[in-house]
């Protein structure tokens, strides 16, 4: 019995360490979204470059989280709820890494946009959309820490609002392109940035769904409403 108690305690410590790593990684990703948006709004190439450089750190953090989670599975051989807890870590870290990639892509496009004809009012709505996703991510991570399925469901529902904002931006950029051909290239980049943010929202929603799975043992059984009807593109790359 004493030996079993030691094993459980050690496993709990392992889970706490992994959870702390996930939260640290999540904080880095939140920061990347905010900095990528600020770089766009202020035309700050140094900040954009910092986002791009920081993505390597996020990638390393994902590797460290996955290595630690794999070590725990091999060493502790968790079952049932404990195994579900560890498996959720892999899915959340993968989503966070991908969100970081999209933030990096925004930073790359910011550096291109700085060389193009400016679009009047082209970034204000984009900032609002980015902020909404950043808040969703913050709440999804809080739901994970608190094992709060209700908060996770709330995050999941808010993705529809992000989709609607994306649809509005899509129409806005089309209007700018039709009104002035000089806006076409810049608006194409802005559109892809909007799509990057919309995809971030999808990934955050996936994190929220993993929290629901972690708490209840089941993924939501209803189809999530998707209000993005403009495109199937993933936002492209500028690599």
């Amino acid at each position: 019995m004493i030996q079993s108690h030691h094993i459980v305690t050690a496993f709990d410590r392992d889970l706490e360490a992994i959870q702390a790593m996930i939260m640290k990684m999540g904080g880095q990703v939140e920061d990347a979204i905010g900095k990528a948006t600020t770089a766009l709004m202020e035309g700050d190439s140094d900040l954009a470059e910092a986002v791009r450089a920081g993505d390597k750190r996020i990638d390393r953090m994902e590797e460290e989280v996955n290595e630690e989670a794999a070590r725990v599975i091999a060493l502790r051989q968790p079952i049932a709820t404990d195994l579900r807890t560890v498996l959720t870590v892999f899915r959340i870290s993968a989503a966070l890494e991908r969100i970081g990639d999209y933030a990096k892509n925004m930073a790359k496009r910011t550096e291109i946009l700085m060389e193009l004809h400016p679009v009047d009012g082209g970034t204000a709505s984009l900032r609002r959309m980015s902020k909404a996703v950043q808040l969703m991510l913050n709440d999804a991570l809080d739901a994970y820490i608190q094992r709060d399925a209700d908060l996770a469901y709330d995050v999941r529902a808010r993705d529809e609002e992000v989709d609607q904002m994306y649809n509005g931006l899509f129409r806005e950029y089309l209007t700018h392109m039709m009104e002035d051909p000089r806006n076409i290239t810049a608006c194409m980049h802005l559109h892809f940035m909007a799509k990057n943010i919309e995809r971030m929202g999808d990934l955050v929603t996936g994190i929220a769904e993993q929290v629901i799975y972690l708490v209840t043992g089941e993924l939501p059984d209803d189809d999530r409403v998707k209000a993005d009807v403009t495109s199937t593109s993933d936002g492209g790359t500028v690599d």
Side-chain angles (χ1 to χ4, degrees):
M1 179 64 70
I2 293 176
Q3 182 180 7
S4 175
H5 174 72
H6 284 318
I7 291 173
V8 171
T9 300
F11 180 70
D12 289 342
R13 286 199 300 268
D14 288 340
L15 288 183
E16 288 176 1
I18 294 173
Q19 182 167 273
M21 294 168 72
I22 283 286
M23 295 306 295
K24 183 176 180 181
M25 184 179 178
Q28 291 289 323
V29 173
E30 280 188 61
D31 188 55
I33 297 171
K35 285 181 176 177
T37 305
T38 299
L40 172 65
M41 300 300 299
E42 299 181 359
D44 189 332
S45 59
D46 290 338
L47 189 57
E49 177 56 34
V51 173
R52 295 178 62 180
D55 186 62
K56 295 184 177 68
R57 182 165 58 251
I58 292 171
D59 291 344
R60 286 196 301 271
M61 294 174 80
E62 184 201 17
E63 293 174 1
E64 291 168 0
V65 168
N66 290 346
E67 287 173 1
E68 182 62 17
R71 185 191 69 81
V72 168
I73 289 176
L75 183 63
R76 308 298 181 195
Q77 299 181 352
I79 59 174
T81 302
D82 290 337
L83 179 59
R84 186 166 74 234
T85 300
V86 180
L87 292 177
T88 299
V89 166
F90 288 106
R91 295 162 185 156
I92 292 177
S93 67
L96 288 172
E97 189 276 333
R98 190 64 181 139
I99 294 169
D101 285 345
Y102 282 129
K104 178 183 68 174
N105 198 36
M106 286 180 63
K108 290 180 179 179
R109 291 187 185 278
T110 289
E111 294 172 330
I112 295 171
L113 280 165
M114 290 172 62
E115 305 298 324
L116 299 175
H117 178 72
V119 178
D120 291 338
T123 59
S125 297
L126 203 65
R127 176 176 57 182
R128 185 167 68 92
M129 184 179 173
S130 176
K131 184 64 175 177
V133 169
Q134 196 174 7
L135 290 173
M136 283 174 62
L137 178 56
N138 182 272
D139 286 347
L141 293 171
D142 282 348
Y144 171 67
I145 284 291
Q146 299 164 15
R147 302 297 192 262
D148 188 337
D150 290 337
L151 180 57
Y153 270 112
D154 178 69
V155 171
R156 185 173 184 262
R158 280 150 56 189
D159 186 54
E160 184 178 2
E161 180 184 356
V162 172
D163 290 343
Q164 291 170 344
M165 283 189 271
Y166 168 73
N167 292 338
L169 281 169
F170 180 78
R171 291 189 291 269
E172 180 181 332
Y173 295 144
L174 280 179
T175 300
H176 281 302
M177 286 189 283
M178 289 187 291
E179 289 178 346
D180 188 344
R182 292 177 301 171
N183 290 331
I184 291 176
T185 301
C187 281
M188 287 297 295
H189 282 289
L190 289 168
H191 165 252
F192 280 128
M193 292 174 84
K195 174 55 76 172
N196 288 159
I197 298 169
E198 188 271 333
R199 292 303 191 204
M200 289 182 195
D202 289 342
L203 288 161
V204 173
T205 301
I207 292 174
E209 290 176 343
Q210 287 302 313
V211 172
I212 294 167
Y213 170 71
L214 178 59
V215 175
T216 68
E218 297 180 354
L219 288 168
D221 57 6
D222 59 311
D223 291 332
R224 177 164 51 95
V225 175
K226 283 298 294 174
D228 168 22
V229 296
T230 61
S231 173
T232 57
S233 168
D234 68 356
T237 64
V238 291
D239 290 328

